Every structure is written in C-alpha cells, then in structure tokens.
Amino acid sequence: MEVFLQQLINGITLGSIYGLIAIGYTMVFGIIGMVNFAHGDVFMVSAFVALIAFLFITTWIGVPSIAVALLLVLVVAMVFTSLVNWAIERLAYRPLRGSFRLAPLISAIGMSIFLSNFVQVTQGPRNKAIPPMVHGEMILFSQNGYNVTISLKQAIIWGVTAVLLVAFWYLVAKTRLGRAQRACEQDQKMAALVGVNVDQTISITFVIAAALAAVAGTLYLTYYGVVNFADGFVPGVKAFTAAVLGGIGSLPGAVIGGLLIGLIETFWSAYFSIDYKDVAAFSVLAITLIFLPQGLFGRPDVEKV
Amino acid sequence: MQQEPAVKGSNALGAVRDAAISALISLGLFLPLIGFETVVNIRNELTLDTRWPLLFTMVALVFVGRLAYSLFAAPRLAQRKQRALAVPAWLTMIGKWFAPFAVGFVIVYPILVLSTVGFSGALKWVDNFGIQILIYVMLGWGLNIVVGLAGLLDLGYVAFYAVGAYSYALLAKEFGFSFWLLLPLAGIMASFWGMLLGFPVLRLRGDYLAIVTLAFGEIIRVVLINWVDFTNGYAGISGIPRPTFFGIPFTAGEDGFAATFGLEFSPIYRTVFLYYVILALAFLTAFVTVRLRRLPVGRAWEALREDEVACRSLGLNTTNTKLTAFSIGAMFGGFAGSFFAARQGFISPESFTFIESATIVAIVVLGGMGSQIGVAVAAVVMIGGTEIMRELNFLKQIFGESFDPTQYRMLIFGFAMVVIMVFRPRGFVSTRQPTVFLKERKTISSDLVGEGHG
C-alpha cells in the first residue's frame, strides 16, 4: 500500500510532464493534421535553454530567492523555445502545407535529427548535470517504517501543471484566439472566409505548444537535474503515445493520457522490470492504435471518398 | 525607364530590411545555444562560457545569406517559374543512358579503384564507399517496396535489418551454418517478423502506421539490449563467421583464398568479394521489384498507394496486399542485415537505432518514392556525402585542430532532409512511368499522382 501510494505520487509527477508535451502534439495534429515529430526535440532544446538560463541567473547575476530564479528560468525558456518552434513552423512546415501527406512528417523527422545534433554540436555530447535547485520533502504518512513522501519538486510540478492547464483551458475555450483555433481545426478554408487569419493562428498554435513544452522542459530539469542532447526522442514518443491514448486532437485527453502513461511507466518499473519500461510505453501505443484508434476521448475517424 | 531605378531601390531597401529581421530572429534563436556554452570546470561544476564571436559570425552569415537570396536568387527563381518548364534535350539524353551507365560503372568499380590507387589504398574506397553505399541502396530498394510502391510509411524498417543480422550471427555462431545457407533463412525470419508485426497494425493509416512501426522498431531494439542471455546485450556479438568463396575462406593460411589461387595474401580480396555479393543482392532486390510491379500484386500495391478506398470498393483484399508488401520489404531488409553481420563480424544494438530507420526512409523519400534510380542516387548522395565528411581533413587547417567534420554529419543530414522536402517534396526523381497505361505511355509528373491513405 505504501509503495503503491509512493509510486502513484511519482507517476503523477512524470505524467504531468508527459501531459504538457502531449498537448503540443495534440494541438498541432488537431489544427494541421501532422505529427510534429520534432516536438520531443523542441522539449529537449527547452530543457537546455532552461539549464543555460539557470546557470546564467545563479552564477552571473545572482538572485537571492530560488523561487524567483525558477520563475525567471521558466519565462526565459518559454520565450526562447516559442521562438524556436515559430521559426521551425515557418521554415520547415509552412512551405509544405498542401503538399503530399507524408512530406511534413519527413520534414519533421529531419528537423528532429537537426535539433538534437545541433545541441550535440554546440553543447557537447555529455550529460549536463546541475545541483538540485529545490530541496525538501514532506512526509505524508508513514507505516511499517516506510515513509510516503512528496518532495517539494514534485509539489512544484503538480502546482505549475495545474495552474497552466487552467490558464490554457481558458485560452482555448473562452478567448477569441481559441475560437479561431477551433475554427481552423474544423475547416481552414471556411475559417479564412469568415476572417480568421489562418497562418497566424497556426503560428500561435506552434508557439503555445512550444511554451508548454518549455514548461515541461524546465520541470524535467528541476526534477532530474540532468539533461542530454538525446533526451528528446523517448519522452517525445511517450508524449505522443499519451496524445494518442487520450484521443489525438482532444486537449483533456492529452493530459489524461499523459497521466496514464506516467502511471503505467512508474508502476511497470516498480512492480515488473525497469529495463523494459520503454517497452511498456511503446506497447501501450501499439495496443491503443490497434484496438482503440480514436483514443479515449477522440472523435472517430470517418473515412470519406 | 524612369521607374526602373526607383523600383530597384525599394527592392534593395526591402531586401535589407528582410535580412535585418532574419538576422534579429536568428540572434534570438542562436543566443542561448551558440552564445553560451556549458562546460564542466575542475571542481566538476557546470559553468557558462560565452562564444560571442561565433554567435555574431552566425548572425552575420544569416544576414548576408538572406540578403543575397532576396537580391539575386529570388528574382531568378521567379523568372524561371514564368518560363515554360521545358526539359532540355541533353537532360533527357542523360536520363535515358544513366541507368545502363550506372550499372556498368558499379560492376567495374572495384577494378577501376584497384588499378588507380593500388591494393593498399583501394580497401577504403571499396569498403567505405562501395559496400557501405550499396548496403543502403539495397535497404532503400527494399523499403521502396513498402513506402514507394505500397505507400505505407514504415519507420521501423531497421527492426528487420536487425532480425536478419541477429539471425545470421546467432545461427552461424551456435550451429556453424554457412553464410549461403543462412542468407535465405535470415530473409525468411525477417519476413516472418514482418508479417507478425504487420498483421495487427496494417489497418492503420499514414502517420499512425508510421508511429506504430517506429514503436515496434524501438521495442525490438530494447529487447536486444536487455535480453542479455540471448543477444549479449550492449556488448553485442563478436567473432561472427565471415562468408567464404564457395568454401574457401579468405584467410592468410594454407587453404585460404590467396594461397589456393597462388596469389599474395591481401585483405582486399575479401572486400572485393563482399562488394560483389552485396551488388548481386542489390540487383536481385531491384530485379524482383521491377518484376513484381508487373504482377497483379505489384499493381495492387500501386493502386493501394493511390487510393485505398477505391481499391477496397473494387474488391481488393487490402490487408493481404499490404501484408505482402510489408513482408517482402522486410525480407530484403533481412538479407541486407545478414550481409551486414557477415561483413562487420560484429553487431550490437547500437547499429539498429531509430536514426538508421530515419536514414533509410530519408533515402527513399528523397529519391522520389517509387523511383529505383532516384533511391540509388539518394543513397549515393546521402551515404557517400557523409563518408566524404570523414575525409575532409583540410577543413582542420581552416577551423583549427579541434574541428571534427564527422560531428556535423547528422546535423547536415537532418538539415538536408528539411531543405529537400521544402524545395523538392517529390524527391530527386519526381516523374513516374506508369506501369499500366492506355494506348500510349506518358511520363506523368508525380504532382498529379494522388496520395493513398496507406
């Protein structure tokens, strides 16, 4: 029971990070129908930007409070990553809109290889580790000498994710921008006819996706304290799995899918074998796609001639 | 005449403004990752270094490049678009004679190399450029059946390559079977796995199929890493038996190839032999593909690529059609894999990463899906290009000793994928000869070919 609760806490933490990345996949797929394969690497780039911002703020400027530093790092990572994703959309995806179906996917794969190797070349291939940013944990309860704890890091991740999800939900559901997005999702031509700037809406979608990935990247760095140029691929595929599991195109689905994938991975590692945790996540992807292709909350895919 | 300079002036001004905006954006993009470098100091702490000169050089390059593009390249491109797209006569000439010439060239290539650079220098040219490129040509042609003909994007093709390699390595080591017996066996194993993995996922379409095949590829790799009893994990399998020339091994001993034929021993004989083996395998792949395209199943593949719904309404069994494409493609991957294991003598899961799959997919797509010559050209450009990167030692003199061109291999590779997709989304060879035609054979632009939902 204690182990179960502890793993539940760890799983939700991991799942929050996956969920934040998954939203990026699901939004981009919803609006232009492409799997943004480079999104995992955008997440990795954001973790690197956060790392550099953290080092810059702590060693060069020196901020008294760690909370302020963390907030600054988050903002810096969000700004730069948004710029990166905006540029990627502009250069690598926009010229291919209306091209044949696999073209954007191939372009995205190329972009993913480019991004991870760009970071490798500019920052070196080694793991980049930083001392833990936040300390402290709270013992929720203890039984039979086993403490079920939640660390401050985990609490921060839960809090930040929850706040951002509410803000994001408000943005999509209640604002003019969100309406434009949903309109483009349904019919781009019609949306353009009624005065929605389709290009701009798609650009903003990529910016929002990147900003959420940057939050995930910063939280990832805070949680693990180490980042590597190759760290984008596996979390990227897992987040995509989360998006598919929740039903691609559905925003709450992405978050719930992310939490489920985080929990599956954590419990699998705890109760079965840690070596095969990636196999567990990938199998979930395959099983979902085969038996439940529309996911938990997705609309069924209607085939039209 | 009066108007002209004014227009030019505003054009130049606009170009400068565009270039300045691009430079500003690139400054933002490059600032964190190029402007700063994370280095570990003596006390094992991570610290920041700055690289302002490099950052400003990059930004200046973007400025100049963008300026040159809008001043010189863009007007010319616009002009070309207005002119009729007539293919010059010499290009059709080349197109006609290219394939026979290329076939002749690859057959005499080792002899050509041996006679120009001699025995000692030839090893690198035949091995690194000849065999390495031909493996990818073969993999490209194998995947071409799946992606190019049947229109199913397979991002896990490397899994079948791995199955082929591991089945050869394990069976040859454990039971001592010969290469020629295990080659077909490895192909059968790979195609069996192709069916096993293909059966459940082939109902899926397009992007979904791509991601599931990617997941399967990764699962196989993770299993290869973790099932240590069977595959020896990360350490890989070494000492894999090498292929023999009809039972005569390529060794320096009494019964070796060189001694039997009264030649002086040299490792080059084995390399040249392997070169012709992979060449024959690649030709086999190409030949089978060409013949299959004329069979009902090949036509069904191409029809499926163009329109799945129409196929189904005409009574094609789409699952079987897809499955044959998947397993035949996998079989050629298995052949290539067993050849790879025999050539290397050592395999480990490191050789079968996702990057490999992406490379093969890139070769097929960049070559123009479905075009055999295009795929071969793409393999030569991509793999030969990355091999040449290793040889560019003179760059060290320009950029200093620490400059390592091989580091930039994959960087340029990824960039090239994006650039080629943006400028030539249909690949190098973007016209297709229709297999089935009415009255006369017309070459159609692939832009007119619809997309299947495979």
Side-chain angles (χ1 to χ4, degrees), chain A residues 29 33-35 37 45 48-49 51-53 55-56 59-60 80 83-87 91-93 95-96 99-131 233-234 237 240 244 248 275-276 278-279 282-283 285-286 289-294 301-305, chain B residues 24-25 27-34 36-40 45-52 58 147 151-153 155 200-201 203-212 214-216 218-219 221-223 226-228 307-309 312 354-355 358-359 361-362 365-366 369 407-408 410-415 417-418 421-423 425-426 451-454:
Chain A
F29 191 93
M34 74 171 277
V35 177
F37 202 85
V45 165
F48 262 89
V49 173
L51 172 79
I52 288 166
L55 289 174
F56 185 81
T59 57
W60 287 30
F80 278 106
L83 186 65
V84 168
N85 217 18
W86 177 83
L91 296 173
Y93 304 150
L96 290 172
S99 184
F100 77 117
R101 266 166 45 96
L102 295 179
L105 183 63
I106 310 266
S107 184
I109 293 172
M111 211 59 206
S112 153
I113 296 174
F114 176 79
L115 283 177
S116 63
N117 281 278
F118 181 76
V119 172
Q120 185 191 8
V121 165
T122 53
Q123 300 293 329
R126 287 211 236 140
N127 276 344
K128 303 285 176 188
I130 50 167
F233 179 67
V234 171
V237 176
F240 178 77
V244 169
I248 199 143
D275 290 336
Y276 287 100
D278 290 355
V279 171
F282 292 140
S283 308
L285 175 64
L289 279 178
I290 293 162
F291 294 107
L292 196 72
Q294 75 274 22
D301 202 10
V302 183
E303 211 168 329
K304 283 184 200 152
V305 180
Chain B
L24 205 65
I25 292 168
L27 178 71
L29 287 178
F30 293 150
L31 177 68
L33 289 172
I34 294 185
F36 296 99
E37 186 184 17
T38 48
V39 271
V40 177
E45 292 163 348
L46 213 55
T47 53
L48 277 187
D49 269 2
T50 55
R51 287 184 289 199
W52 303 130
M58 295 297 281
V147 180
L152 310 164
L153 186 62
L155 286 179
V201 302
R203 294 193 308 157
L204 303 171
R205 310 189 305 171
D207 307 8
Y208 282 169
L209 179 77
I211 303 288
V212 172
L214 180 151
F216 277 144
E218 284 299 300
I219 288 175
R221 194 175 66 88
V222 174
V223 170
N226 289 308
W227 195 1
V228 178
D307 197 331
E308 186 174 341
V309 179
R312 221 180 290 157
F354 167 68
I355 290 290
T359 309
V361 169
V365 173
L366 302 183
M369 304 203 300
Q407 256 194 315
Y408 296 85
M410 291 315 288
L411 185 74
I412 294 172
F413 194 87
F415 191 66
M417 269 173 91
V418 176
M421 266 302 119
V422 169
F423 288 103
R426 283 298 186 168
E451 252 313 298
H453 296 287

Side-chain angles (χ1 to χ4, degrees), chain B residues 152-360:
Chain B
L152 310 164
L153 186 62
D154 182 356
L155 286 179
Y157 193 60
V158 81
F160 308 123
Y161 188 43
V163 168
Y166 271 88
S167 31
Y168 172 69
L170 291 169
L171 290 173
K173 273 200 87 169
E174 297 296 322
F175 301 107
F177 293 150
S178 87
F179 175 72
W180 296 107
L181 179 66
L182 289 177
L183 185 71
L185 209 59
I188 291 169
M189 292 280 263
S191 92
F192 171 71
W193 274 93
M195 272 192 257
L196 208 66
L197 298 187
F199 197 71
V201 302
L202 286 175
R203 294 193 308 157
L204 303 171
R205 310 189 305 171
D207 307 8
Y208 282 169
L209 179 77
I211 303 288
V212 172
T213 50
L214 180 151
F216 277 144
E218 284 299 300
I219 288 175
I220 287 199
R221 194 175 66 88
V222 174
V223 170
L224 287 179
I225 290 171
N226 289 308
W227 195 1
V228 178
D229 299 336
F230 186 59
T231 63
N232 203 18
Y234 268 120
I237 301 171
S238 55
I240 300 167
R242 317 298 291 266
T244 56
F245 182 75
F246 299 107
I248 309 168
F250 289 90
T251 50
E254 274 293 291
D255 55 348
F257 178 80
T260 316
F261 289 91
L263 301 161
E264 201 180 325
F265 174 76
S266 162
I268 191 77
Y269 296 125
R270 192 211 312 265
T271 313
V272 171
F273 172 69
L274 286 174
Y275 177 87
Y276 282 113
V277 170
I278 184 69
L279 187 64
L281 284 173
F283 278 153
L284 178 76
T285 315
F287 180 73
V288 168
T289 312
V290 168
R291 300 305 299 173
L292 277 175
R293 280 179 73 165
R294 288 169 194 280
L295 286 177
V297 67
R299 293 180 176 174
W301 289 341
E302 285 183 291
L304 195 67
R305 177 188 67 200
E306 304 306 339
D307 197 331
E308 186 174 341
V309 179
C311 276
R312 221 180 290 157
S313 67
L314 289 171
L316 268 180
N317 184 340
T318 49
T319 313
N320 279 0
T321 312
K322 286 176 177 178
L323 212 54
T324 45
F326 215 64
S327 58
I328 291 176
M331 178 182 76
F332 287 114
F335 287 159
S338 69
F339 174 82
F340 174 76
R343 170 218 183 195
Q344 300 290 104
F346 167 76
I347 49 169
S348 76
E350 292 295 291
S351 311
F352 308 106
T353 53
F354 167 68
I355 290 290
E356 269 331 279
S357 283
T359 309
I360 306 166

Side-chain angles (χ1 to χ4, degrees), chain A residues 56-282:
Chain A
F56 185 81
I57 288 166
T58 49
T59 57
W60 287 30
I61 302 178
V63 180
S65 139
I66 195 77
V68 176
L70 208 56
L71 201 66
L72 280 174
V73 167
L74 194 65
V75 171
V76 169
M78 282 167 88
V79 168
F80 278 106
T81 315
S82 301
L83 186 65
V84 168
N85 217 18
W86 177 83
I88 290 174
E89 193 270 335
R90 201 58 202 268
L91 296 173
Y93 304 150
R94 189 176 294 183
L96 290 172
R97 219 178 285 157
S99 184
F100 77 117
R101 266 166 45 96
L102 295 179
L105 183 63
I106 310 266
S107 184
I109 293 172
M111 211 59 206
S112 153
I113 296 174
F114 176 79
L115 283 177
S116 63
N117 281 278
F118 181 76
V119 172
Q120 185 191 8
V121 165
T122 53
Q123 300 293 329
R126 287 211 236 140
N127 276 344
K128 303 285 176 188
I130 50 167
M133 291 188 209
V134 277
H135 300 275
E137 56 182 24
M138 194 171 76
I139 297 172
L140 292 181
F141 68 88
S142 87
Q143 200 171 36
N144 310 332
Y146 188 96
N147 294 334
V148 175
T149 62
I150 175 168
S151 67
L152 190 54
K153 283 192 286 200
Q154 288 172 328
I156 289 174
I157 290 173
W158 291 19
V160 171
T161 308
V163 168
L164 275 165
L165 286 181
V166 171
F168 177 73
W169 170 81
Y170 179 80
L171 188 74
V172 173
K174 302 280 170 189
T175 63
R176 194 186 169 81
L177 170 68
R179 262 202 312 279
Q181 258 173 353
R182 281 176 289 146
C184 288
E185 222 167 274
Q186 288 181 359
D187 191 335
Q188 285 186 13
K189 212 172 267 172
M190 194 61 218
L193 278 176
V194 296
V196 173
N197 188 340
V198 175
D199 277 348
Q200 200 186 10
T201 312
I202 293 174
S203 277
I204 292 173
T205 307
F206 272 83
V207 164
I208 295 173
L212 290 174
V215 176
T218 313
L219 296 178
Y220 181 88
L221 183 75
T222 323
Y223 194 48
Y224 292 104
V226 59
V227 60
N228 180 281
F229 77 94
D231 276 352
F233 179 67
V234 171
V237 176
K238 283 180 188 159
F240 178 77
T241 308
V244 169
L245 184 62
I248 199 143
S250 149
L251 298 172
V255 179
I256 291 167
L259 289 175
L260 280 175
I261 290 291
L263 288 171
I264 289 169
E265 190 182 325
T266 320
F267 282 121
W268 185 279
S269 308
Y271 291 107
F272 298 104
S273 136
I274 194 157
D275 290 336
Y276 287 100
K277 71 179 161 84
D278 290 355
V279 171
F282 292 140

